[in-house]
Amino acid sequence: MEKRYTVITYGCQMNVHESEKIAGILEEMGYVRGGEEDAQIIVFNTCCIRENAENHAFGNIGALKKRKKEDPDLLICVGGCMMQEKGMPEEIKRKFPFVDVVFGTHNLYELRHLIEMKQAGRKKILIDIHDKEGEIIEGENPSRTSYPNAWVNINYGCNNFCTYCIVPYVRGRERSRKPEHILSEVEKLVKEGYKEITLLGQNVNSYGKDLECSMTFPELLDKVASIEGEFRLRFMTSHPKDFNEELVKVIAKHDKIPNLIHLPVQSGSDRILSAMNRRYTSGEYLAKVKMLRFYLPDAELTSDIIVGFPGETDEDFEATMRLVKEVDFASAFTFVYSKRKGTKAAEMENQVPEEIQKKRIMSLIELVNAQTRAKSEKYLGKEVTILCEDYDTKKGMYLGRDEYGRMGYFKSDRNRIGDWIRLKITDCSGISLYGEEV
Ligand code: SAH
Ligand code: SF4
Ligand code: F3S
């Protein structure tokens, strides 16, 4: 009988891609992808960016207690960012002693070895966490799940230490992959038929700063975009402090790079931006948006915004609302500030009460949604090209995104995943567009 595995992922694209690497390791061990119900190995790839991400993981790991009792051969592994938090592996051991293996983000490549050690008859939970990031591991063989998109790491870690954020503590210092490794991976993926490549880094603009050969992110992007083949080239995330004219010129030079920039602003208040250690002012952010629209008048922006950061007053929040109106984001991820142990902001006074945070997030979501809807309505009657990426079983429709990240739905009686589709938009709802193939 086939042995099955499943990987349960929380968090960002970085984690989604790391789960593909975990899947690759398990497949090399002879396991086949399966559902949670019939898997003999279940791996949790956790996230600790906000408290609710952790609570989800705790809940779902805890839910396996009964099944593990009935089936002692079931192997439960827990890895990811949460495990890099001080004291967390011990907490897992205390709360869920039935877990088999605990590993971290810095030793994912050892998973096979850890599983084999556990399977060799070790009774107790096996915990192996590396406190420090090691050398970059090349030659991994991810089992990709996001065709026609392929994720490609360009740099790992973060040195920015925004005061609210736990990522620098759990992902270590910035380190870049060598350009030749990135270029050959992308060339291979394009040859294999991937139609969208997304370059990944916590701050892609820091790319190359630690390399012996001199290479900046715009230079790398230019080289990747020059690879032959029909594909879209996306990247995330750009830190506004490092977003510059050189990068915008590369975007303008290549048709392969969509004119859509994810540029997380976090707040519109200079006082809060400074307390967040973001190292730009709202004025500087707006000047960069202006510069982007000078070179690319049709460019769209998306963002991440936090409300309820310690000390945020009504005036600070109003400044965020004003900035959102001024930039007119195509869409934005909005978050309520979540206190993360070990970060500077967790020690700050004036933590904002929950009721106020809730009120603010509701107003912000309402504003962002209204802007998104207004942009959707402009699509009515127009034609767009989407890259079909999935099938929505509930709607009974295929879906894909246009270059600005707009989701377009359409009906077809054959599998269209991976096809470029020209759609005439006939209807819209929120961020979603509906259309007919032309
Ligand atoms: N490296 C990326 C993404 C980091 S995490 C960047 O710098 O943009 C994604 C988003 O989560 C952040 O942009 C921020 O908006 C949000 N975030 C991070 N820490 C948070 C916290 N403690 N509470 C609420 N939101 C947080
Ligand atoms: Fe976190 Fe800031 Fe680094 Fe992004 S840039 S990962 S928000 S510390
Ligand atoms: Fe990503 Fe969450 Fe880790 S957002 S880097 S998976 S803490």
Side-chain angles (χ1 to χ4, degrees):
M1 214 182 78
E2 275 176 340
K3 298 181 295 176
R4 295 187 180 275
Y5 75 87
T6 201
V7 186
I8 298 166
T9 310
Y10 307 88
C12 64
Q13 284 81 5
M14 201 73 73
N15 254 20
V16 171
H17 186 38
E18 260 151 39
S19 288
E20 295 179 334
K21 295 180 188 177
I22 293 171
I25 293 172
L26 298 173
E27 287 175 19
E28 271 167 19
M29 293 175 75
Y31 289 86
V32 192
R33 190 184 300 277
E36 197 186 316
E37 318 72 42
D38 57 358
Q40 278 96 49
I41 290 197
I42 300 178
V43 183
F44 290 91
N45 190 13
T46 62
C47 167
C48 53
I49 197 86
R50 283 169 290 274
E51 198 183 346
N52 54 7
E54 296 200 334
N55 290 341
H56 276 144
F58 282 141
N60 291 340
I61 299 167
L64 286 176
K65 185 175 176 182
K66 190 165 157 258
R67 189 167 150 206
K68 177 76 182 182
K69 221 176 182 171
E70 289 162 2
D71 176 12
D73 288 339
L74 171 73
L75 209 86
I76 304 171
C77 308
V78 185
C81 292
M82 236 172 121
M83 299 308 111
Q84 295 291 149
E85 281 181 272
K86 264 208 185 77
M88 187 56 81
E90 293 71 28
E91 191 172 336
I92 294 286
K93 186 175 164 184
R94 214 169 41 244
K95 281 190 171 142
F96 314 110
F98 55 87
V99 164
D100 294 285
V101 174
V102 172
F103 62 105
T105 55
H106 301 319
N107 64 335
L108 186 154
Y109 63 92
E110 287 184 335
L111 185 59
R112 177 176 191 150
H113 173 64
L114 296 174
I115 290 175
E116 284 172 348
M117 261 167 56
K118 180 72 198 185
Q119 284 174 332
R122 195 187 151 108
K123 286 248 154 32
K124 280 201 296 197
I125 184 168
L126 178 61
I127 297 179
D128 190 3
I129 305 288
H130 296 189
D131 288 339
K132 268 190 89 62
E133 64 279 1
E135 294 280 300
I136 290 180
I137 305 291
E138 290 295 343
E140 291 167 308
N141 199 7
S143 169
R144 296 182 182 271
T145 50
S146 356
Y147 176 83
N149 176 65
W151 310 106
V152 174
N153 293 117
I154 65 164
N155 54 354
Y156 299 92
C158 182
N159 291 357
N160 285 320
F161 289 94
C162 302
T163 53
Y164 50 81
C165 184
I166 199 161
V167 170
Y169 302 92
V170 296
R171 288 280 175 171
R173 297 292 65 75
E174 280 172 5
R175 52 225 187 266
S176 307
R177 285 180 76 193
K178 291 200 172 111
E180 58 269 28
H181 289 140
I182 297 167
L183 291 167
S184 64
E185 183 174 354
V186 176
E187 274 164 16
K188 184 170 158 268
L189 290 164
V190 172
K191 274 200 193 109
E192 284 171 11
Y194 286 90
K195 307 278 173 59
E196 185 175 85
I197 303 292
T198 308
L199 306 179
L200 289 179
Q202 291 300 347
N203 177 16
V204 290
N205 304 88
S206 293
Y207 177 80
K209 285 183 184 159
D210 57 321
L211 287 174
E212 271 169 34
C213 69
S214 111
M215 168 89 59
T216 64
F217 178 61
E219 285 166 355
L220 175 77
L221 192 67
D222 188 29
K223 282 198 163 38
V224 178
S226 305
I227 291 173
E228 262 180 52
E230 196 184 16
F231 64 98
R232 260 185 202 154
L233 180 57
R234 300 191 192 268
F235 57 88
M236 63 194 323
T237 301
S238 261
H239 193 302
K241 78 177 160 58
D242 304 312
F243 185 77
N244 60 21
E245 208 161 328
E246 193 194 351
L247 176 57
V248 174
K249 284 181 177 164
V250 175
I251 298 170
K253 178 178 157 192
H254 293 278
D255 288 342
K256 284 194 177 94
I257 309 176
N259 294 347
L260 168 72
I261 310 296
H262 184 60
L263 202 61
V265 66
Q266 313 298 358
S267 168
S269 153
D270 291 344
R271 218 173 54 81
I272 296 295
L273 285 171
S274 159
M276 286 176 163
N277 190 32
R278 289 292 286 179
R279 286 174 279 174
Y280 54 84
T281 61
S282 57
E284 283 162 355
Y285 184 91
L286 291 169
K288 294 204 178 185
V289 172
K290 207 165 154 193
M291 180 270 290
L292 170 70
R293 287 181 171 153
F294 170 77
Y295 287 101
L296 297 164
D298 68 341
E300 291 281 5
L301 285 116
T302 57
S303 207
D304 293 348
I305 303 161
I306 297 176
V307 303
F309 183 83
E312 187 187 68
T313 61
D314 284 341
E315 289 75 50
D316 294 319
F317 177 64
E318 282 313 315
T320 299
M321 295 288 273
R322 274 200 303 279
L323 183 135
V324 170
K325 280 182 200 146
E326 187 162 345
V327 178
D328 194 15
F329 293 109
S331 66
F333 296 105
T334 52
F335 306 107
V336 170
Y337 165 73
S338 170
K339 198 170 169 178
R340 305 283 68 209
K341 223 162 88 201
T343 62
K344 272 202 178 144
E347 305 303 319
M348 289 179 186
E349 286 167 13
N350 301 324
Q351 299 280 333
V352 177
E354 216 179 297
E355 317 87 73
I356 298 185
Q357 287 182 323
K358 273 198 187 138
K359 238 174 86 188
R360 288 183 187 158
I361 193 93
M362 301 277 269
S363 317
L364 178 62
I365 290 173
E366 205 174 302
L367 173 61
V368 170
N369 285 350
Q371 292 183 341
T372 304
R373 248 191 333 266
K375 281 179 193 279
S376 291
E377 278 160 15
K378 288 195 186 145
Y379 276 89
L380 288 173
K382 293 207 176 117
E383 285 184 15
V384 295
T385 301
I386 62 161
L387 173 59
C388 181
E389 60 184 48
D390 210 350
Y391 180 73
D392 184 322
T393 43
K394 270 199 198 129
K395 287 193 166 88
M397 292 173 115
Y398 284 93
L399 59 127
R401 274 168 303 149
D402 79 342
E403 79 160 307
Y404 301 110
R406 280 286 149 154
M407 200 63 90
Y409 290 86
F410 67 104
K411 284 208 154 100
S412 175
D413 48 17
R414 64 198 162 89
N415 182 8
R416 308 308 297 278
I417 295 172
D419 290 352
W420 302 98
I421 311 271
R422 192 87 185 140
L423 276 191
K424 185 166 172 133
I425 303 304
T426 52
D427 199 4
C428 69
S429 134
I431 197 164
S432 308
L433 309 171
Y434 296 86
E436 280 157 17
E437 199 172 347
V438 289

